[in-house]
Amino acid sequence: MGDTFIRHIALLGFEKRFVPSQHYVYLFLVKWQDLSEKVVYRRFTEIYEFHKTLKEMFPIEAGEISPASRIIPHLPAPRWFDGQRAAESRQGTLTEYCRALLGLPSKISRCPHLLDFFKVRPEDLKLPTDSQVKKPETYLVPKDGKSNAADITGPIILQSYRAIADYGKSSASEMAVATGDVVEVVEKSESGWWFCQMKAKRGWVPASFLEPLDSPDEAEDPEPNYAGEPYVTIKAYTAVEEDEMSLAQGETIEVIHKLLDGWWVVRKEDVTGYFPSMYLQKSGQDPAQAQRQIKSRGAPPRRSTIRNAHSIHQRSRKRLSQDAYRRNSVRFLQQRRRLARPGPQSAGSSQEDNLQTQRAKPQPAVPPRPSADLILHRCSESTKRKLASAV
């Protein structure tokens, strides 16, 4: 077992809370060395106190002896009155601060003070109860990571989803749900595991077990990209369902549709099928980290494999069949091959190309047409008389 350290810290946003009095807390998603991911809540005053202690522990790196030696990032002090505008404007600062912290030498980035600060506390697991007068308002950082006060015009209420079947968690980082439970989704991962919260519980839930409350026809999934993105399989998978694809480890394929449930449509030559996104990685990247994640949490189940699923919607969301994917994919590939042809002389050229080629070939010489006098001279005397009488 290696040393404990933090791989990544992502600022998800902040919450406006009203109990015991109005205050703001920041949401951080902390990814540890074992690829476990935890959500922690910290006030800015706590972060600033942590920052001051860190500077005292490393005075040289904090620039206390020589300002030129400072490598610990700066963090502005809390204001006399911290309102919502201040909470919004600090998001960019905190994102850069956390990024800079993890980029420091290991004696700082892996010191017990830093690790203890970002560990899960009991209060992180105790969400506000329904009995409270006013529910917290959650404000999320934009997906592109660029945040300023103008980006957020009001509280972003977390999306509510309903469980269509019972799900029992298989690891400490997951959350069990029962049919009909309503959860709030904090983070939607491409792996098909969504980080959810419900009353006093938080954890990862398979997206296939959840359905939106409003309508099953939410256009959340991106459109198919038949040009495809190159990926490499980092774990073998044997198809269980008819519309899935079996692939060995180390195969190069193209992803043509990234679905939020974690089962992507991939293409191998002219064949398409579903494949778990957790077993894929972009070409050229180190697969070691992704393989560790597979060990901690496998691929989520597909909707088609869930037994006793009960939806509140009369009609389920329409999805493309694999036949449609294949037809569209083959049509795209054929068009791309035609455009890639070097010239009209290539094999299998179209009828139009053949016609143009024939037109370009030199035609045999045509003898000049004889004049009317010459034709008349060659005719017999009887033919001449017939021609004269016809005139």
Side-chain angles (χ1 to χ4, degrees):
M1 189 83 178
D3 295 336
T4 301
F5 64 91
I6 297 174
R7 292 183 178 274
H8 182 66
I9 302 175
L11 176 66
L12 299 179
F14 67 92
E15 276 189 0
K16 182 179 181 180
R17 295 183 176 178
F18 302 93
V19 178
S21 61
Q22 180 174 305
H23 63 283
Y24 298 87
V25 294
Y26 291 93
L27 291 75
F28 294 94
L29 182 65
V30 184
K31 179 177 285 189
W32 294 84
Q33 88 288 347
D34 60 355
L35 298 180
S36 62
E37 295 173 320
K38 309 292 182 181
V39 175
V40 299
Y41 295 75
R42 300 290 183 267
R43 294 193 188 195
F44 185 74
T45 51
E46 295 179 276
I47 301 172
Y48 188 72
E49 289 300 319
F50 155 80
H51 173 68
K52 290 201 307 182
T53 304
L54 190 69
K55 290 170 61 180
E56 293 172 359
M57 294 174 60
F58 301 97
I60 297 177
E61 290 80 1
E64 299 295 335
I65 299 175
S66 171
S69 302
R70 176 163 189 166
I71 58 174
I72 293 178
H74 293 271
L75 189 68
R79 301 176 185 177
W80 175 254
F81 173 76
D82 280 346
Q84 181 171 321
R85 187 175 296 275
E88 291 172 353
S89 62
R90 283 200 193 103
Q91 293 184 113
T93 301
L94 287 175
T95 297
E96 290 299 319
Y97 180 76
C98 293
R99 182 191 61 79
L101 278 182
L102 297 185
L104 295 175
S106 58
K107 69 174 184 179
I108 304 176
S109 62
R110 301 188 182 188
C111 71
H113 176 59
L114 188 148
L115 300 180
D116 289 342
F117 181 75
F118 286 103
K119 283 182 179 177
V120 176
R121 303 171 181 171
E123 56 265 32
D124 293 326
L125 302 175
K126 186 179 180 181
L127 289 178
T129 61
D130 295 337
S131 61
Q132 290 185 352
V133 178
K134 194 170 182 181
K135 187 178 180 180
E137 297 174 353
T138 303
Y139 299 74
L140 298 181
V141 174
K143 282 295 184 183
D144 58 5
K146 299 176 182 178
S147 172
N148 55 56
D151 291 331
I152 304 176
T153 57
I156 301 175
I157 305 301
L158 297 179
Q159 289 180 291
S160 296
Y161 282 74
R162 176 187 174 277
I164 63 170
D166 296 344
Y167 176 73
K169 65 178 184 179
S170 57
S171 68
S173 63
E174 298 176 23
M175 182 175 74
V177 293
T179 306
D181 282 348
V182 176
V183 302
E184 294 177 318
V185 178
V186 178
E187 180 74 10
K188 294 180 179 179
S189 171
E190 284 189 336
S191 66
W193 290 95
W194 291 2
F195 193 85
C196 304
Q197 63 183 29
M198 181 181 62
K199 296 182 179 180
K201 297 192 298 181
R202 294 190 187 95
W204 297 95
V205 179
S208 54
F209 276 76
L210 303 174
E211 68 176 356
L213 292 176
D214 298 334
S215 169
D217 298 323
E218 286 184 326
E220 294 182 318
D221 291 323
E223 292 296 321
N225 174 24
Y226 291 104
E229 292 184 54
Y231 276 77
V232 176
T233 57
I234 57 175
K235 183 177 179 179
Y237 176 77
T238 302
V240 177
E241 301 293 320
E242 190 176 311
D243 54 0
E244 296 175 357
M245 183 180 289
S246 298
L247 293 170
Q249 182 177 345
E251 292 197 54
T252 301
I253 51 88
E254 292 178 304
V255 174
I256 62 176
H257 202 182
K258 296 181 178 180
L259 301 172
L260 288 179
D261 64 0
W263 286 84
W264 292 355
V265 182
V266 303
R267 178 174 63 209
K268 181 72 173 179
E269 297 175 349
D270 290 345
V271 181
T272 67
Y274 288 111
F275 196 83
S277 64
M278 289 191 71
Y279 299 168
L280 297 172
Q281 191 168 42
K282 283 192 174 181
S283 301
Q285 294 184 349
D286 182 13
Q289 180 175 344
Q291 287 172 341
R292 286 192 294 268
Q293 186 176 3
I294 293 172
K295 293 179 181 179
S296 62
R297 190 185 307 119
R302 289 186 60 195
R303 175 70 62 89
S304 59
T305 64
I306 301 175
R307 295 182 179 180
N308 302 320
H310 299 285
S311 172
I312 60 175
H313 304 295
Q314 293 181 351
R315 292 183 301 174
S316 61
R317 183 179 177 187
K318 294 181 179 179
R319 291 184 178 273
L320 290 175
S321 65
Q322 282 302 324
D323 287 338
Y325 281 121
R326 291 187 189 98
R327 286 196 305 269
N328 295 335
S329 181
V330 169
R331 188 179 298 115
F332 177 87
L333 292 175
Q334 288 175 344
Q335 182 181 5
R336 185 165 67 181
R337 289 163 187 161
R338 282 198 299 267
L339 295 176
R341 286 179 184 137
Q345 300 292 336
S346 61
S349 58
S350 65
Q351 184 177 2
E352 183 180 354
D353 291 340
N354 290 334
L355 183 58
Q356 292 178 353
T357 304
Q358 291 175 3
R359 289 172 180 171
K361 289 181 180 180
Q363 300 296 327
V366 179
R369 184 177 181 181
S371 64
D373 294 338
L374 180 60
I375 294 174
L376 188 61
H377 175 72
R378 293 176 179 175
C379 292
S380 62
E381 291 297 329
S382 60
T383 305
K384 289 179 183 180
R385 286 195 295 269
K386 291 180 181 179
L387 291 174
S389 61
V391 176

